[in-house]
Amino acid sequence: MVTCFVLLRLLFLVLNLLDSAVKMNGLGVGINYGQIANNLPSPSRVAYLLQSLNISRVKLYDADPNVLLAFSNSNVEFIIGLGNEDLQNMRDPIKAQSWIQQHVQTHLPQTKITCITVGNEVFSSNDTQLMSNLLPAMQTVYNTLVNLGLDKQVTVTTAHSLNILGNSYPPSSGTFRQDLAQYIHPILNFHSQINSPFLINAYPYFAYKDNPGQVPLDYVLFQPNQGMTDSNTNLHYDNMLYAQIDAVYSAIRAMGHTDIEVRISETGWPSKGDADEAGATPENAGLYNGNLLNKIQEKQGTPAKPSVPVDVYVFALFNEDLKPGPTSERNYGLLYPDGTPVYNIGLQGNLPELVYYSAARRKGFSFSAMVIFVVAYVIWA
């Protein structure tokens, strides 16, 4: 019997060490978990998959209760989303409170929800009413979080397309579009007031696709290249993504703010595209995302903000077969729906068989507890 207890203690020790290794060797990036597909694994299987990939930050485009429940009692932090179609309703304090109580409060603290994105790329539309609703919706959601005592653990922001910039070259001359200034300036004041980040969806791929003859491929793929030097600051850039980030910082500074952090809510590279989508190949996607992961692990900032590590959410976890648009839109995933890598960048996760893992989840077992139970059974048997 003593031997049995010793073996069990050793098993607990090994599992704890493995858990510590996962935490210490995490990738340092987040992942966008889109679900516009009809062939994706269940959220409970994805929860185990992300644990095996050492990914602990996830961004959703909604507040799917099945996902949030599947990740309860995990170490994964979530950004959840309110769709553009919800902005009008979110101006109403009663409707905002109802939404937060249903989609946020019920999942806390078991699931770590840290941020709500109110709308996505609102300024990419020509809908002035939608643009006008954005800030009031953000303010109402934030005030509701304050009233519920949740504002210290859940922040509020929105995600923008890079086309909100009127000028991005050189980075030090970055400015927002003049037609958007009336909307963006008060949003920046709001970010400053509540200390929340400014999110940008940045894709150097688009710049290359639109002008492959002029944009050096190595520059957008983080490959060795001559780069460019900002003539105003003499700062050198060896990749386009960091130049884009600093252009956003410059645009924010031009509106009077130096106290707002810029984060990348989406970036990625498609592994497949149509004939007119230059550069959309598995090789280029592997280089972009693989080099990006290496860059992030260095925990360095951009040339203009060297002390602020770049914060990135890669797009996306899976290929999504139901997304509309060109072929590239359905091929941004790091993984196929069966959990196998689309290309090799060193990510090798485990997607468990549904029958075993889901049964354990229903009985309230974690994977580690299930392993301990099986080993204990074998020992005493």
Side-chain angles (χ1 to χ4, degrees):
M1 183 63 70
V2 173
T3 302
C4 294
F5 281 114
V6 170
L7 287 172
L8 280 175
R9 286 180 63 84
L10 286 173
L11 181 60
F12 275 113
L13 178 61
V14 169
L15 289 169
N16 284 334
L17 288 173
L18 287 173
D19 183 58
S20 297
V22 165
K23 292 177 182 176
M24 287 188 294
N25 298 321
L27 293 173
V29 299
I31 194 79
N32 282 275
Y33 178 12
Q35 298 182 80
I36 306 177
N38 60 9
N39 57 358
L40 298 183
S42 66
S44 60
R45 297 173 71 206
V46 174
Y48 183 82
L49 172 66
L50 292 186
Q51 179 182 343
S52 71
L53 288 170
N54 302 338
I55 293 174
S56 60
R57 296 192 300 151
V58 174
K59 178 171 164 282
L60 299 178
Y61 292 88
D62 53 22
D64 187 339
N66 296 317
V67 173
L68 297 175
L69 183 62
F71 280 83
S72 62
N73 299 313
S74 73
N75 289 317
V76 176
E77 296 182 356
F78 274 90
I79 295 176
I80 62 173
L82 271 160
N84 293 350
E85 68 278 4
D86 296 319
L87 296 190
Q88 178 67 43
N89 284 338
M90 288 304 104
R91 297 187 63 161
D92 183 334
I94 295 176
K95 293 179 179 178
Q97 178 168 318
S98 176
W99 190 91
I100 291 172
Q101 287 176 327
Q102 180 181 350
H103 295 95
V104 180
Q105 198 167 32
T106 56
H107 295 286
L108 296 173
Q110 293 85 356
T111 302
K112 297 180 180 179
I113 299 172
T114 61
C115 181
I116 301 171
T117 54
V118 181
N120 185 58
E121 298 189 352
V122 169
F123 298 123
S124 293
S125 73
N126 294 317
D127 188 337
T128 55
Q129 182 177 2
L130 187 65
M131 296 179 191
S132 298
N133 284 335
L134 178 56
L135 179 56
M138 293 171 70
Q139 291 170 326
T140 304
V141 169
Y142 175 74
N143 291 336
T144 302
L145 290 170
V146 172
N147 293 338
L148 294 173
L150 301 176
D151 58 300
K152 296 295 187 290
Q153 54 187 309
V154 184
T155 193
V156 175
T157 185
T158 188
H160 304 279
S161 165
L162 203 64
N163 69 12
I164 62 172
L165 292 181
N167 184 58
S168 62
Y169 186 87
S172 62
S173 297
T175 54
F176 293 117
R177 285 165 36 194
Q178 282 300 310
D179 61 311
L180 298 179
Q182 60 178 313
Y183 303 107
I184 294 178
H185 192 256
I187 286 176
L188 292 176
N189 292 339
F190 174 73
H191 282 301
S192 176
Q193 173 193 346
I194 71 169
N195 192 31
S196 69
F198 191 86
L199 303 187
I200 283 287
N201 299 336
Y203 289 88
Y205 164 71
F206 293 148
Y208 177 77
K209 176 183 72 73
D210 293 342
N211 203 350
Q214 297 296 319
V215 177
L217 184 59
D218 287 341
Y219 181 61
V220 293
L221 293 179
F222 301 93
Q223 291 287 86
N225 67 95
Q226 292 183 349
M228 59 82 64
T229 298
D230 188 318
S231 58
N232 296 324
T233 62
N234 209 33
L235 294 175
H236 184 75
Y237 292 84
D238 60 8
N239 71 83
M240 181 176 284
L241 181 65
Y242 282 25
Q244 291 175 335
I245 295 172
D246 278 351
V248 176
Y249 271 121
S250 295
I252 293 173
R253 185 174 61 250
M255 284 196 166
H257 286 283
T258 58
D259 56 346
I260 298 170
E261 183 180 346
V262 175
R263 298 180 186 173
I264 301 299
S265 43
E266 287 183 22
T267 192
W269 195 285
S271 60
K272 187 178 180 181
D274 295 321
D276 61 347
E277 295 187 292
T281 67
E283 293 76 19
N284 287 341
L287 285 171
Y288 183 83
N289 285 317
N291 288 334
L292 174 62
L293 293 182
N294 292 334
K295 197 85 172 172
I296 297 303
Q297 287 178 333
E298 296 173 0
K299 299 186 184 301
Q300 296 178 352
T302 63
K305 293 280 187 176
S307 62
V308 181
V310 175
D311 190 299
V312 169
Y313 280 78
V314 173
F315 186 86
L317 182 57
F318 296 112
N319 281 343
E320 299 173 72
D321 65 339
L322 297 183
K323 291 197 72 174
T327 297
S328 61
E329 286 295 313
R330 295 175 288 283
N331 290 278
Y332 273 91
L334 300 181
L335 306 175
Y336 292 111
D338 65 0
T340 59
V342 177
Y343 40 82
N344 181 23
I345 56 172
L347 296 180
Q348 190 63 52
N350 296 311
L351 186 65
E353 292 296 329
L354 177 61
V355 62
Y356 298 113
Y357 186 59
S358 62
R361 293 286 295 190
R362 284 197 300 270
K363 291 180 181 295
F365 286 107
S366 68
F367 179 73
S368 299
M370 184 167 61
V371 171
I372 293 169
F373 176 79
V374 171
V375 172
Y377 176 81
V378 171
I379 291 172
W380 270 288

